Amino acid sequence: MKRARLLTFLSVLVALGGLAATYGVTAAPSDTAESTQLCQGTVRADDNRYVVMSNVWGAESTQCLHVDPGTGAFQVVRSDHDNGENVAAYPAVYSGCHWGDCTAKSELPAQVSNLRTATSSWSFSRNNAPGEWNAAYDLWFHTTEDANRSPDGAELMIWLDHTAGARPKGTVVARDVPIAGATWDVSYANWDWNHVVYVRTSPTTWVRDLDLRAFTSDAVSRGYIRDWWYLSGVEAGFELWRDGDGLASHGFSTRIQSVSGRA
């Protein structure tokens, strides 16, 4: 799907209201009766507020997750990927729309110029995961309010952590840009949409109330996103080039409000 232009839905979601040890983190699911094994497709959680997707889009190798269907927490338990310089998969949780597959109560799509609040909290564990991977947000933008189709505006990624071999595509256009209490290196590439990546210069495994609007505003100022476009989906997960067994997502939540009062 993602960047491979596949219109099949291979999505997985994790929904959690908390973050960090003092923020109500739920442990990643183990191989128990309460967990669901997901090797392809999606699992919906929290009354369809979130979706967990396997999302193997860039390779044909096997990948499986354990997903807690109650909380949406998930863990990568099998990853046979070895995809060279290309991403094989992006197991993730999302709110909003992913190639027309939309969640409930997300308040998305929302026009960029009308965003009053756009924040997200998320936590994850590395668990000594081998291989090449990142832990990243993926925000999608459509040029109109119709999100029942492939995104045609922009993809904005926020890398919180990554291994040494994982690098964003495109050209570095800025370094040490201060946003949301940290500094970020910014890369840009033009595909079927604008692809802009913010790489955190000091890696972290959790964020609380991360200001997504601040990243969007920076991308608008650089000409990569337009004010009249629509934020259609907020995703958080792991881009996998090679391996990644053990990576676990514990907490994910979003809060979107628009000036119009729609969100």
Side-chain angles (χ1 to χ4, degrees), residues 44 48 51 94 96-104 106 108-109 147-148 232:
R44 310 187 94 81
N48 194 28
V51 172
Y94 73 85
C97 299
H98 181 89
W99 268 252
D101 188 7
C102 301
T103 66
S106 71
L108 296 172
N148 191 30
S232 53

Side-chain angles (χ1 to χ4, degrees), residues 237-257:
F238 311 105
E239 282 192 311
L240 307 179
W241 283 256
R242 178 171 56 86
D243 294 333
D245 289 352
L247 290 167
S249 175
H250 309 292
F252 175 78
S253 63
T254 60
R255 182 169 179 262
I256 309 294
Q257 291 182 315

Side-chain angles (χ1 to χ4, degrees), residues 56 74 226:
V56 181
F74 73 89
R226 307 299 182 187

Side-chain angles (χ1 to χ4, degrees), residues 185-204:
D185 293 338
V186 186
S187 296
Y188 171 75
N190 180 254
W191 299 329
D192 288 347
W193 48 74
N194 292 331
H195 177 74
V196 56
V197 180
Y198 294 81
V199 179
R200 203 177 198 271
T201 59
S202 55
T204 185

Side-chain angles (χ1 to χ4, degrees), residues 67-120:
V67 181
D68 185 324
T71 66
F74 73 89
Q75 183 166 17
V76 180
V77 295
R78 179 176 177 180
S79 175
D80 296 345
H81 308 312
D82 190 356
N83 216 34
E85 296 183 356
N86 298 312
V87 175
Y90 179 61
V93 46
Y94 73 85
S95 174
C97 299
H98 181 89
W99 268 252
D101 188 7
C102 301
T103 66
K105 303 177 182 178
S106 71
E107 311 302 348
L108 296 172
Q111 195 165 37
V112 171
S113 61
N114 285 339
L115 284 174
R116 181 174 60 191
T117 300
T119 61
S120 179

Side-chain angles (χ1 to χ4, degrees), residues 28-73:
S30 58
D31 189 8
T32 66
E34 289 76 28
S35 68
T36 297
Q37 179 162 286
L38 177 70
C39 297
Q40 59 181 342
T42 63
V43 170
R44 310 187 94 81
D46 194 11
D47 293 329
N48 194 28
R49 288 179 60 111
Y50 304 97
V51 172
V52 184
M53 58 186 179
S54 177
N55 202 14
V56 181
W57 59 268
E60 297 182 357
S61 38
T62 300
Q63 170 187 285
C64 292
L65 315 175
H66 282 162
V67 181
D68 185 324
T71 66

